[in-house]
Amino acid sequence: MTTVQLIPIEKIRVINARSRNKPKFREIVENISKVGLKKPITISRREGEEGFDLVCGQGRLEAFLACGVQEIPAIVIDIPIEERLLRSLVENLTRRTPSSLELARDLVSLKERGHGYADIARLTGVSESHVKHLVRLIENGEQRLVVAVERGDIPITTAIEIATTDDSALQRSLQEAYDSGKIRGQALFKVRRLIEERRSRGKGLRSARAQNAKSPSTHDLVRTLRREIQKQDLLVKKARHCEQQLRFVISALKDLMKHERFVALLRTEKVDALPKYLSEMIQK
């Protein structure tokens, strides 16, 4: 019989973290804060050390942390580290659309752990051919093509053709596809643009960002400096305004404190204690 235990969150380690959809995460946090946790997380004891590894339930765990809760209901199981990683990966995969870049990377991770294409397809619910294509693209560093597939710009078979065909043969293939009516208009434009971006900026997305990055010009630096000067001027004006208001308050209090009836009234209402700074300024 499965039992649920309250486990300190600080003792739980996330071994296969995934990025979080912010609107969805806020929804989880709001739901848990209103009705509590409907389904406990699953964790496994670490071998030879204190604590637990998370098997599934990262979103629920992080939502509990966001709510400021120190303990979380959990089902504790004892499985090897390899099985923990596998279950965690499979949970991540089944929660995503089957064409995402993260999905492709996790498919590669499963393959690197010794799982065959048929086994990965069975575990994730993704077709074996799709698994093969995504793994092949990621292993060749074709992040740009994977993202294009995810956006729906090109089918994955076209992505494979682009990745495995030289430029001259690829241009002939595109021309044949156009002549035969298989690809026209906007679709042809997207494919040509993708091929050009891949050629000029590289296969990966990181290389594109690095190439697009440039040093700021003198004009940019001057403009940034002027903005900072304006900010500093505004702060100085606000500080002077506060100083003037404070001087007015101190002057008014000095005059009021000279009247015995006013002082007696403050004592009666027990509001005669002033902040140390104001008290010192009034006595000067």
Side-chain angles (χ1 to χ4, degrees):
M1 180 179 177
T2 302
T3 59
V4 178
Q5 305 177 35
L6 271 179
I7 303 295
I9 292 178
E10 63 180 12
K11 293 186 177 181
I12 302 173
R13 176 178 63 185
V14 180
I15 56 176
N16 185 39
R18 63 187 175 96
S19 59
R20 181 70 50 202
N21 178 287
K22 291 183 179 179
K24 182 65 176 177
F25 178 64
R26 285 195 295 269
E27 182 181 328
I28 295 173
V29 173
E30 183 179 356
N31 187 266
I32 287 178
S33 64
K34 288 181 178 179
V35 301
L37 187 65
K38 296 180 180 178
K39 181 182 179 182
I41 65 171
T42 303
I43 56 178
S44 179
R45 292 184 182 87
R46 298 181 205 158
E47 295 90 349
E49 58 179 309
E50 186 181 359
F52 305 86
D53 286 334
L54 182 69
V55 177
C56 63
Q58 181 186 340
R60 285 163 279 163
L61 180 70
E62 292 178 349
F64 258 57
L65 279 173
C67 293
V69 182
Q70 302 300 316
E71 295 181 323
I72 186 169
I75 297 172
V76 182
I77 60 177
D78 291 305
I79 56 176
I81 182 65
E82 182 68 23
E83 181 70 14
R84 289 175 230 163
L85 288 167
L86 177 60
R87 289 196 188 186
S88 180
L89 278 171
V90 171
E91 186 202 24
N92 287 353
L93 293 171
T94 55
R95 291 177 182 270
R96 302 193 194 114
T97 56
S99 56
S100 68
L101 185 58
E102 288 185 345
L103 164 65
R105 288 170 175 158
D106 281 350
L107 292 177
V108 171
S109 179
L110 285 173
K111 181 174 178 290
E112 289 174 347
R113 295 181 183 281
H115 297 279
Y117 291 121
D119 189 28
I120 295 173
R122 179 181 57 80
L123 289 168
T124 61
V126 181
S127 70
E128 186 174 346
S129 62
H130 201 80
V131 170
K132 288 181 180 179
H133 290 329
L134 283 176
V135 168
R136 185 174 184 180
L137 289 173
I138 288 296
E139 287 182 337
N140 290 329
E142 299 283 2
Q143 296 178 3
R144 191 178 300 281
L145 292 178
V146 174
V147 170
V149 172
E150 181 178 3
R151 288 197 305 257
D153 291 346
I154 57 172
I156 195 166
T157 51
T158 303
I160 290 294
E161 185 177 2
I162 294 173
T164 57
T165 309
D166 60 56
D167 283 351
S168 58
L170 189 59
Q171 294 300 328
R172 289 196 301 271
S173 178
L174 281 177
Q175 187 62 48
E176 291 172 0
Y178 178 79
D179 293 339
S180 64
K182 292 181 179 179
I183 183 170
R184 288 293 176 91
Q186 191 69 17
L188 180 64
F189 171 75
K190 287 181 179 180
V191 173
R192 289 191 182 280
R193 185 179 62 183
L194 177 61
I195 293 172
E196 183 57 36
E197 287 180 351
R198 180 173 172 272
R199 182 189 299 119
S200 61
R201 300 180 181 180
K203 301 177 181 180
L205 299 177
R206 187 176 300 176
S207 60
R209 287 195 295 269
Q211 290 183 16
N212 287 336
K214 59 179 181 179
S215 300
S217 63
T218 304
H219 177 72
D220 293 333
L221 292 173
V222 171
R223 186 170 54 187
T224 301
L225 179 60
R226 285 175 178 170
R227 282 201 300 264
E228 291 302 317
I229 291 174
Q230 289 174 354
K231 289 180 182 178
Q232 295 297 327
D233 288 342
L234 182 60
L235 287 174
V236 170
K237 288 179 181 178
K238 288 182 177 180
R240 287 174 178 171
H241 179 67
C242 290
E243 183 182 11
Q244 290 173 356
Q245 289 182 317
L246 185 59
R247 289 184 181 277
F248 172 77
V249 170
I250 291 172
S251 177
L253 281 175
K254 279 184 177 180
D255 291 338
L256 288 171
M257 296 301 282
K258 293 176 181 177
H259 298 278
E260 294 183 1
R261 290 184 180 180
F262 177 74
V263 175
L265 176 63
L266 291 179
R267 288 172 182 165
T268 302
E269 298 296 331
K270 298 182 179 180
V271 291
D272 56 320
L274 295 175
K276 182 179 179 182
Y277 173 76
L278 282 177
S279 179
E280 291 176 351
M281 293 296 294
I282 289 171
Q283 293 173 5
K284 286 182 179 180

